[in-house]
Amino acid sequence: MKRYLLILLFWGIGMLQFSAKNMAKFKYFNYVGEDKYYRENALQGEGDYFNPVISGWASDPAICRVGKDYWLVTSTFGYFPGVPLYHSEDLVSWEHVGNVLSRSSQLPWLEGLSIDKGGIYAPALSYNPHNQRYYMITTCVMNGGDGSTLNFYVTATDPLGEWSDPVLLPDVEGIDPSFFFDDDGKAYIVYKSDERSPVKWSNHRAMSIIEFNPEEGRTVGEPVLFKEEGVGPEERLERDEGPHIYKIDEKYYLLAAEGGTGWAHSEVCYKADNIFGPYRRWSRNPMLTQRLLKPNRERPVTSTGHADLVQTPSGEWFAFFLGCRPWNEGEDHLGRETFMLPVKWSVDSFPYITQSIDTISLKSNMPGLSHKQESLQSGNFKWSDDFSDSTLRPEWMSLWGDPAQWYRVGDGLFLEYAPVDTKSGKTPSCLLRRIQHHCFEVETELEPKKQEDLAAGLILLKNEQRQLFLACCNDKVILYKLGNSKDDTIIASADLASDCAPVGLKIISRGGSYDFLYRPCGEEWITLAENIPAEYVASQRGGFTGSTIGLYATSALQ
């Protein structure tokens, strides 16, 4: 009994300390996607599905299947938690079920890194049937100073359970590692080798393969440089990245991204008789690209590449790859998204997805497809959170680390007005989710603290230098344009009554521009600013992420 009373006492003291802090209370967060294309092109026939299958920033997809379950992961760069985990039973209806790197001990390197250039690159997900373990392997790019990298992996017996702490791979020098588990129980890691600048061209395309011992959890021997049959240094070939190895009909296939991450992005394929090669390049590569199409075509899908293959229980092969849906003459805030198409096979037994000027459509068909569930990752949808659960939903992210010290949930969301901002390189009091549509509305309602140096509200964020913040600050609602300190400006502001609470805030995206609205004391919506160009927080402003939107409270505005 005494122990029980002590627990209650300490819990009560902790809650009093928490409630005593300066905190803004957010009642809910609503996101509504309303793209015109989806309204006018509803799914009708059997087997219809929308591409991308995971919309919004979901770059570098990697997939594996175990039984009837498909598991997929994507990159997160400077965001925490790292590596979202998606699940599906039909390849097109995906649910965000968790995050692989969900503890600070698994991702201690993010502080101070660039949000959209450093951090977690190109995770790869594999299942080893010989020890019945899942492996997620990835690179953390340490973009400060020397631009060094850390390659590591984590494991789990159940992808929905707890993943291990990271195991570093010091002998894997480069980026984009991927496991391959062979039929005989042996294991290998293929990766883009760390080439020193200037590149000394060779016939190994800057990729390497090294053996891995699953029992000891470490690499074995020296890496073997990737060799392409019949190619010498004089060819000066493009370097490959994001490699994956598969064994199909006793042949080893290696897929890799080529041509950079922009409009020239593509995927190429090789085949060999043994794991170390030499590999034969398919004569009709690239096996996937959209770079040969006219840039001014209607509803273009661009920058396709970085593919991974998966086989269904019935033996069919499908490819998951990244692509972009530019808007407003090349701008967008969605970043690189995850697409899915069936794999075709050439007469000389090479897999391919597109050839020549094949066009990737936003609506596809997979014969026999039966949707297992409604998807909240493609098409138009509504997503809401009233923060009534005891933990955050897996879609929420923050910057550079775990924001647990700054928030409380259960009866709404309480965010502390932290003395940290979203440009500092340190974890702010901020929760964000990916933008998944060109046209959308986001709405919240909050009870702000009325104090001169406190600001809370909705934030649109591309990186440390490009942010738009719709905030309640003392007795005003203010739209800030945040960037480098010298670039911070106020776009618009309006007075609030001193006793005004709660205050509703809304952002409406029309694709190429944003409108910002507020609702004082539960009254009618009032437009604060409209037609603000989306260009400022668009993905084409550099970096590898899409834009995010969410809730933010700070005492550190200049």
Side-chain angles (χ1 to χ4, degrees), residues 347-422:
V347 293
D348 52 350
S349 300
F350 279 88
Y352 69 96
I353 306 163
T354 66
Q355 279 291 277
S356 186
I357 57 173
D358 291 346
T359 301
I360 294 173
S361 172
L362 300 183
K363 186 177 178 182
S364 301
N365 185 275
M366 190 167 78
L369 171 66
S370 175
H371 292 271
K372 299 293 191 301
Q373 63 187 45
E374 181 184 0
S375 177
L376 291 182
Q377 303 300 334
S378 65
N380 285 334
F381 58 81
K382 299 179 180 180
W383 187 92
S384 298
D385 196 347
D386 62 3
F387 306 103
S388 58
D389 293 337
S390 60
T391 58
L392 285 178
R393 293 178 61 169
E395 292 89 346
W396 288 113
M397 305 178 292
S398 192
L399 307 172
W400 301 299
D402 189 348
Q405 64 176 315
W406 303 128
Y407 74 85
R408 175 168 63 86
V409 292
D411 179 24
L413 170 70
F414 293 82
L415 281 182
E416 183 175 348
Y417 290 95
V420 183
D421 66 35
T422 46

Side-chain angles (χ1 to χ4, degrees), residues 88-107:
S88 177
E89 293 185 5
D90 60 17
L91 292 174
V92 299
S93 302
W94 291 92
E95 181 183 3
H96 189 164
V97 292
N99 298 283
V100 176
L101 305 177
S102 59
R103 305 188 304 276
S104 296
S105 62
Q106 295 173 302
L107 198 51

Side-chain angles (χ1 to χ4, degrees), residues 239-421:
R239 290 176 294 173
D240 291 346
E241 58 189 9
H244 297 287
I245 292 177
Y246 315 86
K247 191 174 185 179
I248 305 172
D249 295 333
E250 300 306 313
K251 300 291 184 182
Y252 294 89
Y253 290 82
L254 189 150
L255 270 63
E258 196 171 85
T261 58
W263 68 271
H265 201 204
S266 65
E267 190 78 10
V268 293
C269 183
Y270 308 89
K271 182 166 60 172
D273 295 326
N274 67 74
I275 186 69
F276 292 115
Y279 282 81
R280 302 181 296 281
R281 182 181 175 92
W282 187 36
S283 61
R284 297 184 64 182
N285 271 332
M287 61 173 289
L288 165 69
T289 193
Q290 297 287 274
R291 67 187 177 209
L292 301 178
L293 301 177
K294 295 179 179 179
N296 60 349
R297 63 192 185 277
E298 186 178 9
R299 292 188 298 273
V301 175
T302 68
S303 311
T304 53
H306 204 106
D308 195 10
L309 305 185
V310 68
Q311 189 177 30
T312 67
S314 59
E316 299 166 293
W317 287 91
F318 289 86
F320 285 75
F321 55 93
L322 65 80
C324 296
R325 291 183 292 159
W327 185 274
N328 194 34
E329 297 182 355
E331 297 170 7
D332 78 83
H333 37 217
L334 302 180
R336 299 174 296 165
E337 307 175 279
T338 292
F339 291 74
M340 186 275 287
L341 283 175
V343 172
K344 305 171 187 176
W345 291 88
S346 67
V347 293
D348 52 350
S349 300
F350 279 88
Y352 69 96
I353 306 163
T354 66
Q355 279 291 277
S356 186
I357 57 173
D358 291 346
T359 301
I360 294 173
S361 172
L362 300 183
K363 186 177 178 182
S364 301
N365 185 275
M366 190 167 78
L369 171 66
S370 175
H371 292 271
K372 299 293 191 301
Q373 63 187 45
E374 181 184 0
S375 177
L376 291 182
Q377 303 300 334
S378 65
N380 285 334
F381 58 81
K382 299 179 180 180
W383 187 92
S384 298
D385 196 347
D386 62 3
F387 306 103
S388 58
D389 293 337
S390 60
T391 58
L392 285 178
R393 293 178 61 169
E395 292 89 346
W396 288 113
M397 305 178 292
S398 192
L399 307 172
W400 301 299
D402 189 348
Q405 64 176 315
W406 303 128
Y407 74 85
R408 175 168 63 86
V409 292
D411 179 24
L413 170 70
F414 293 82
L415 281 182
E416 183 175 348
Y417 290 95
V420 183
D421 66 35

Side-chain angles (χ1 to χ4, degrees), residues 105-149:
S105 62
Q106 295 173 302
L107 198 51
W109 310 289
L110 294 182
E111 185 172 303
L113 299 184
S114 166
I115 295 170
D116 58 355
K117 293 180 181 177
I120 296 300
Y121 279 50
L125 186 65
S126 306
Y127 178 73
N128 185 357
H130 303 286
N131 63 8
Q132 298 180 331
R133 296 191 74 83
Y134 293 84
Y135 289 73
M136 190 286 295
I137 185 170
T138 189
T139 306
C140 185
V141 174
M142 313 294 288
N143 62 316
D146 61 0
S148 61
T149 61

Side-chain angles (χ1 to χ4, degrees), residues 132-189:
Q132 298 180 331
R133 296 191 74 83
Y134 293 84
Y135 289 73
M136 190 286 295
I137 185 170
T138 189
T139 306
C140 185
V141 174
M142 313 294 288
N143 62 316
D146 61 0
S148 61
T149 61
L150 293 172
N151 287 291
F152 67 93
Y153 70 91
V154 294
T155 66
T157 55
D158 177 0
L160 293 176
E162 187 171 279
W163 290 76
S164 71
D165 278 343
V167 179
L168 296 180
L169 295 164
D171 294 328
V172 177
E173 297 182 344
I175 63 171
D176 298 359
S178 176
F179 276 111
F180 170 70
F181 298 103
D182 211 339
D183 301 335
D184 60 4
K186 289 188 175 181
Y188 306 87
I189 298 172

